[in-house]
Structure formats: C-alpha cells, structure tokens
Amino acid sequence: MIEKFPVKSIRTTKSPSTEGVTTYTMLVDFNDLPNDISLEVNPRKPKMNTAVAKKLIHAVTGTEEDFDIKNRGIVIIANNLIFNNGQVTLDLGDDRTRFGILDGGHTYTAITQNRGDMPEDMHKYVKLEILVGENLDATGLADARNTSVQVSDIALFELDDKFNDVKDVLKKESYADDVAYKDNDNKSIPVADLLRLMYAMNIEKFASETTAPVSAYSSKAAVFRDYKKEIDKGDDNVYAKLIPLLPELVRIFEFIQRDMKKYYAEFKKANGQSSSAFGKVRGVEGAGNYHTAFSKMDIEYQISNGFIFPIFGAFRALLKENNDGTIEFEFSPEKVWNKVGVNLVQNTFETDTNPQMAGKNKTLWQGNYRIVEGAKKDLLIEKLMNQNGL
C-alpha cells in the first residue's frame, strides 16, 4: 500500500547501531494523516472508551493547538519512504502484520475518527516517527515499545496469585529465583518467556499441523491474553495441565540452543557445503561466551528466537492427554531431537535465513511439526513391533 501526504517538517536519522535502518521524524497536519494505515503490527488494539482515550479525543477536538508538543506521536514501520517537495510517499508493503503503526494506535484512532469535530480553520499537528530498514525486528520493537503496559498487566495478574502453580513447579530448578513475576523485579527471566513455552505446546488450541502457535514468537501480549483467559476458567484448563511440564519445556528449549550449531554443521557437510559459517548467519552471534535462556548453561553461540521457536513448537507433536486429563510426552523429546535434529535445523535454515521472518513463517512451523510427527510414528511402530516380539 502506498500513501502520499504533505508534511510540515522532516528530519532524517540513520541508526549508528543497526546498519540500513533510518528513522524519519516529521510533523503532519491532522487533516493530511492517511486513514488506512494498518494497526496489526501493534500488539494492543485501541480501546477508545477508556478515560485516557477520552482525554485524547478531547485533545483532538479541543481548542488547544499544541498537540504535537504534548503528545508522544505515532511510530510506524514502513517498507520505504521518499520525500520530495514537501510530500512524503510512504510504502507500507503488502504485509499488514509487518508494516504499519507500531505504537500510538490510540493517538492515530483518536485523530482519524474525530478530526472532523475540530474547530473550523484550526490546524493541529501530530509527530510521526517512521522507521525503515530490512533489518528491523517488528516483533522485538513492538514488545519494547509496549513494555510498560504489558508488564503492568502481568504484575496485576500476579496480585491474584495466578502464578503460584508456576512458582511451585519451578522451586527446585536452578533458575527459580531468576524469574520476574512483577514489573519491578530486577531479574533476568520475564515470566512471559515461560508462558511462551507453554503457548507453543498448547495442544488444545494447536491440535495438529494445520495450525501453528506462531504468536509464541511474534506476540508476547497475545500469549499472555490467552494464558489469562484459560487460567480464569479455573483448574480445568490447558495451562494448568502444562505447568507441571515447564521444567521439561525449558530443557527442550535449551538443548535446541545447545545443539543447533552441531546439526547445522552436519546438514551443511552432508550437502557438500562449508560447515564453519554458523556464526556468520544473520541472527546468530558467536563464537563467544554465551548462556542458555534459563539455566545459564554455557553455549558458544547466541541464536535468535526466530530460529529456535519454530523448532521448539514442533515437539508438541509428542504430547498426549491421558484419560485423567494430565498431559505428558509420549516419547522422549531429546531422543527425538537426536533422531531428527539435523532435519529440523536444515528445514528451518533452508526455509528462511532471516530470523524475524522465520519466527513468523507458519509454513516453517508446520513443516517442522511434520518432521517430529513422522519420528513419533516411527517410534510407535517400533514400540508395537517390540511388544509383539517382532
């Protein structure tokens, strides 16, 4: 989608930390702001009936003209931007989940829905901050820009003791004291990271290869909302059944972190390619002194979650629900990893070498699931043959 509109002023800043990323800061007249910029990048949809939203609407329709000074403005991720003769041509691409309004959705909605009620002949301006660059991580930016709201939600949830079961099951783990359950906890593991692991294993919501828990990677806010909705149902919910598995889920996540380089080298070697370039892959840092996400085990490479989660989520194919309602792994996840780890890593890196795209690629998640499901079927056949003495 292409949007063209005039701007009052514009400033360009190239990022010194991320090559190829440029930030364009500009002031735009309310009446020139386009109507159809996507809000799907933002993990929170605007709720315009709150007290804060009503104040925003009043600021839009009122007589004060200093909106651009008092309001933080709107942050947008775009595919490209061209400025010429006082007019911006904004390329928002075709992917509404990647390009659009990252932050400031309430401001945008308040302006576009209520600017017609401004006093006649009055001009008000809003600040736009538009980020352009192929190395932008929309998911990471969305979480970072919306952290205050998200963490406060989790902290309020903690007041209701809704994380007590999580605390109990982790109390003997080495990282138990490193989990932050409140927004003022200065600890290294946000509880949201544990919720993401369970979301990726939600066999009720994602029962087969036809669906994929992509939000485990792409939206912490969506994960938290789903967890809260289920926990509020009482004891009979899928997360109550998955919480006892959390230590095992952590181990799965970390053996993927630990072994990915080894399996990357194996598949490259099998294809007659160099196996020594893992550290040069986009989204991989190393070789160096790094640690796994939870237990802080020493590892040689730091690997983007965009590569890890599509592999991690595939192991839900091994889960089964028993007659008593408990959930367990039918076969050892590590045994399956040792069996098909090369296939999973190869499928992941041959599908996409951009970790942000890989993490959100439903086809990749589905392909990895099928690989684990195939290994499960082989183990079931082997088990039946052993039982029958064959």
Side-chain angles (χ1 to χ4, degrees), residues 340-354:
V340 297
V342 173
N343 306 78
L344 289 167
V345 172
Q346 179 171 356
N347 186 56
T348 298
F349 284 96
E350 288 189 344
T351 299
D352 206 318
T353 55
N354 181 328

Side-chain angles (χ1 to χ4, degrees), residues 301-354:
Y301 293 88
Q302 188 69 40
I303 304 166
S304 169
N305 283 340
F307 293 134
I308 296 172
F309 266 102
I311 294 175
F312 174 82
F315 286 91
R316 79 183 188 283
L318 302 179
L319 290 172
K320 68 172 184 177
E321 185 167 0
N322 299 314
N323 292 333
D324 62 0
T326 58
I327 294 176
E328 66 177 357
F329 286 101
E330 193 164 1
F331 297 99
S332 162
E334 191 156 14
K335 181 178 180 179
V336 172
W337 173 241
N338 292 336
K339 180 181 176 67
V340 297
V342 173
N343 306 78
L344 289 167
V345 172
Q346 179 171 356
N347 186 56
T348 298
F349 284 96
E350 288 189 344
T351 299
D352 206 318
T353 55
N354 181 328

Side-chain angles (χ1 to χ4, degrees), residues 3 14 25 33 70 95 108 156 180 196 208 213-214 231 247 322:
E3 297 283 0
K14 294 188 179 296
T25 305
L33 189 64
K70 293 181 177 179
D95 187 349
Y108 179 74
L156 289 172
R196 294 165 77 186
S208 70
V214 176
I231 291 295
N322 299 314

Side-chain angles (χ1 to χ4, degrees), residues 26-42:
M26 63 200 72
L27 294 175
V28 178
D29 191 304
F30 278 13
N31 292 311
D32 296 323
L33 189 64
N35 274 318
D36 300 318
I37 301 177
S38 172
L39 288 161
E40 292 182 35
V41 178
N42 194 321

Side-chain angles (χ1 to χ4, degrees), residues 76-81 90-92 99-100 130-133 136:
I76 298 171
I77 293 183
N79 185 48
N80 194 22
L81 184 149
L90 187 64
D91 178 2
L92 292 167
F99 301 114
I130 301 176
L131 292 86
V132 175
L136 284 172

Side-chain angles (χ1 to χ4, degrees), residues 18 32 51 71 73 80 89 182 214 256 282 293-294 296 325 341 381:
T18 307
D32 296 323
N71 184 272
N80 194 22
T89 301
K182 297 181 180 180
V214 176
I256 295 171
R282 181 176 176 181
F294 300 93
K296 309 308 177 188
I381 293 171

